[in-house]
């Protein structure tokens, strides 16, 4: 168990629960002993231990925020449960508000096959993963927002096992554990995202040439005022900002990028979990509003071989400042592994080449 904890396969809480099940709970249940477990409480915590999630009667917290939103938005009918897998694909289940209230008021999540976190973009399973088993998806109501589509709200989720314990390969849980580990060392982060997006005509037949197509600016360059002259494009950009603000997402600025129909939205810096939750919602909002305007918003790294690349920049600050070099050293040490997450698609590597303003 110690080795599993050091390797971050299990948290301290998960390892403790496993030992309790093996050495106490199983016999207590089988032989009807009706004994009460009184575990010893550690007096100190080693700094290299991964922080654990305290056990609760239900993995669902903040349900009152959901009820408050329903009261404030009587027309709300649907709740989107979202999570991001390891291919950067946003997955979603849509619940009616009525069923969501029934489910979550009982402390229940929704069941999904364990294989859901082992799918590639084509929905094929990665090697050596069994499709058997299930996980529970629970909403994290601190991330609850109105969605861009009317009558919809959206919330980010985490995975739990059948006993309500965190799952180590849940992406959001993994990020939360890293943040908590850093906090245990007195380190905190702020993360600010820039969203680059290219607006294209919705019909595939109209995409043969981005230049000259309706509603897409021509001959623009970085931060050019000319890119803001088209009234239909400005209507779209302003509608996106308005929808984001309605969802509680503040935009610091937006401006034109180098490619035709390419723009950038700059989000506020936030603590890591909130920043990522906000990024997912903001990107979805941009794509939804663009669809209302008869456009397709794409964030693929390269729209065409000749078009400028599209990035997804993350600005990270570390406190205290003296820890910066340690953080950067860790990034360099694990850069190959980081690339598998930050560049998950073959098209990502068409962008990471010389002389195309790619960082």
């Amino acid at each position: 168990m110690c080795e599993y904890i050091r390797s971050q396969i299990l948290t301290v809480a998960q390892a403790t629960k496993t030992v309790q099940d093996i050495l106490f709970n199983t016999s207590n249940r089988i032989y009807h002993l009706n004994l009460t477990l009184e575990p010893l409480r550690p007096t100190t915590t080693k700094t290299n231990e991964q922080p654990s999630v305290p056990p609760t009667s239900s993995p669902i917290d903040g349900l009152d925020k959901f009820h408050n939103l329903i009261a404030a938005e009587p027309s709300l009918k649907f709740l989107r449960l979202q999570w991001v897998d390891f291919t950067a694909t946003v997955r979603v289940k849509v619940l009616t508000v009525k069923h969501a209230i029934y489910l979550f008021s009982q402390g229940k999540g929704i069941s999904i096959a364990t294989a859901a976190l082992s799918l590639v973009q084509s929905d094929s399973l990665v090697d050596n993963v069994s499709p058997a088993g299930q996980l529970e998806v629970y909403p994290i109501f601190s991330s609850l927002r109105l969605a861009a589509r009317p009558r919809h709200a959206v919330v980010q989720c985490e995975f739990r096992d059948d006993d309500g314990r965190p799952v180590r390969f849940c992406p959001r849980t993994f990020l939360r554990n890293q943040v908590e580990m850093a906090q245990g060392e007195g380190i905190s982060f702020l993360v600010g995202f820039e969203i680059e997006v290219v607006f294209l005509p919705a019909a595939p037949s109209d995409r043969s040439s981005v230049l000259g197509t309706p509603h897409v600016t021509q001959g623009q360059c970085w931060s050019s005022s000319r890119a803001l002259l088209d009234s239909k494009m400005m209507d779209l950009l302003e509608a996106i900002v308005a929808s984001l603000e309605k969802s509680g997402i503040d935009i610091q600025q937006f401006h034109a990028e180098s490619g035709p129909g390419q723009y950038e939205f700059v989000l506020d810096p936030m603590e890591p979990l909130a920043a990522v939750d906000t990024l997912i919602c903001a990107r979805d909002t941009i794509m939804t509003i663009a669809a209302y305007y008869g456009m397709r918003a794409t964030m693929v790294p390269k729209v065409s071989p000749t078009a400028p690349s599209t990035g997804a920049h993350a600005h990270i600050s570390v406190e205290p400042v003296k820890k910066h070099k340690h953080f950067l050293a860790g990034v360099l040490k694990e850069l190959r592994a980081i690339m598998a997450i930050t560049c998950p698609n073959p098209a990502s590597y068409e962008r990471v080449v010389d002389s195309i303003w790619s960082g």
Side-chain angles (χ1 to χ4, degrees), residues 41-202:
R41 299 292 180 183
T43 57
T44 60
T45 300
K46 295 180 180 179
T47 57
N48 63 342
E49 287 183 345
Q50 186 173 347
S52 59
V53 178
T56 59
S57 58
S58 168
I60 299 177
D61 293 319
L63 189 57
D64 56 331
K65 185 175 181 180
F66 185 36
H67 287 295
N68 291 340
L69 182 62
I70 294 170
E73 301 287 339
S75 63
L76 195 65
K77 298 297 180 184
F78 304 99
L79 178 65
R80 300 184 178 200
L81 305 186
Q82 284 188 341
W83 66 93
V84 180
D85 64 18
F86 287 105
T87 66
T89 301
V90 179
R91 310 278 183 174
V92 62
K93 293 279 189 177
V94 182
L95 275 61
T96 63
V97 165
K98 180 179 179 180
H99 184 64
I101 293 173
Y102 167 77
L103 201 64
F104 302 144
S105 62
Q106 300 182 68
K108 296 180 179 179
I110 62 170
S111 299
I112 291 182
T114 303
L117 287 176
S118 302
L119 298 174
V120 297
Q121 291 88 339
S122 62
D123 282 349
S124 300
L125 273 177
V126 297
D127 294 339
N128 302 318
V129 173
S130 170
Q134 71 177 27
L135 297 171
E136 300 295 318
V137 177
Y138 287 97
I140 307 300
F141 280 115
S142 61
S143 67
L144 180 66
R145 299 180 184 277
L146 288 174
R149 183 169 180 81
R151 302 190 301 165
H152 284 240
V154 59
V155 65
Q156 307 310 315
C157 299
E158 291 186 8
F159 287 81
R160 300 285 195 269
D161 62 17
D162 290 337
D163 295 325
R165 294 174 297 188
V167 175
R168 67 178 179 86
F169 48 86
C170 165
R172 193 181 187 281
T173 299
F174 186 84
L175 174 60
R176 178 163 51 80
N177 285 340
Q178 301 308 304
V179 171
E180 291 176 358
M181 288 178 67
Q183 289 172 345
E185 298 288 344
I187 301 172
S188 62
F189 300 92
L190 282 178
V191 182
F193 288 106
E194 297 174 357
I195 303 175
E196 291 185 6
V197 56
V198 176
F199 296 103
L200 298 170

Side-chain angles (χ1 to χ4, degrees), residues 183-345:
Q183 289 172 345
E185 298 288 344
I187 301 172
S188 62
F189 300 92
L190 282 178
V191 182
F193 288 106
E194 297 174 357
I195 303 175
E196 291 185 6
V197 56
V198 176
F199 296 103
L200 298 170
S205 60
D206 294 337
R207 294 182 196 149
S208 57
S209 173
V210 176
L211 288 172
T213 52
H215 302 211
V216 178
T217 53
Q218 303 179 46
Q220 74 180 54
C221 57
W222 176 78
S223 286
S224 62
S225 60
R226 179 177 178 178
L228 305 181
L229 295 178
D230 187 288
S231 61
K232 292 181 179 179
M233 178 59 72
M234 285 303 298
D235 288 344
L236 168 60
L237 298 174
E238 291 167 0
I240 288 172
V241 173
S243 183
L244 289 169
E245 289 179 341
K246 185 178 180 180
S247 297
I249 299 174
D250 292 326
I251 295 294
Q252 291 188 348
Q253 60 175 286
F254 68 84
H255 60 83
E257 280 291 347
S258 300
Q262 187 180 46
Y263 293 83
E264 177 178 286
F265 298 86
V266 180
L267 303 179
D268 274 345
M270 309 173 78
E271 61 88 15
L273 282 169
V276 173
D277 291 341
T278 301
L279 173 68
I280 296 167
C281 185
R283 293 177 67 153
D284 186 68
T285 296
I286 292 170
M287 291 186 286
T288 300
I289 300 301
Y292 288 160
Y293 279 74
M295 304 285 288
R296 179 180 178 183
T298 180
M299 299 157 197
V300 297
K302 290 281 284 185
V303 174
S304 74
T306 58
S309 61
T310 300
H313 299 147
H315 300 270
I316 303 173
S317 67
V318 184
E319 290 292 342
V321 176
K322 64 182 181 181
K323 296 291 186 179
H324 281 190
K325 61 181 180 181
H326 303 291
F327 175 75
L328 293 175
V331 170
L332 292 174
K333 179 183 177 182
E334 304 295 342
L335 188 58
R336 288 175 62 86
I338 290 172
M339 290 293 289
I341 302 298
T342 56
C343 296
N345 300 303

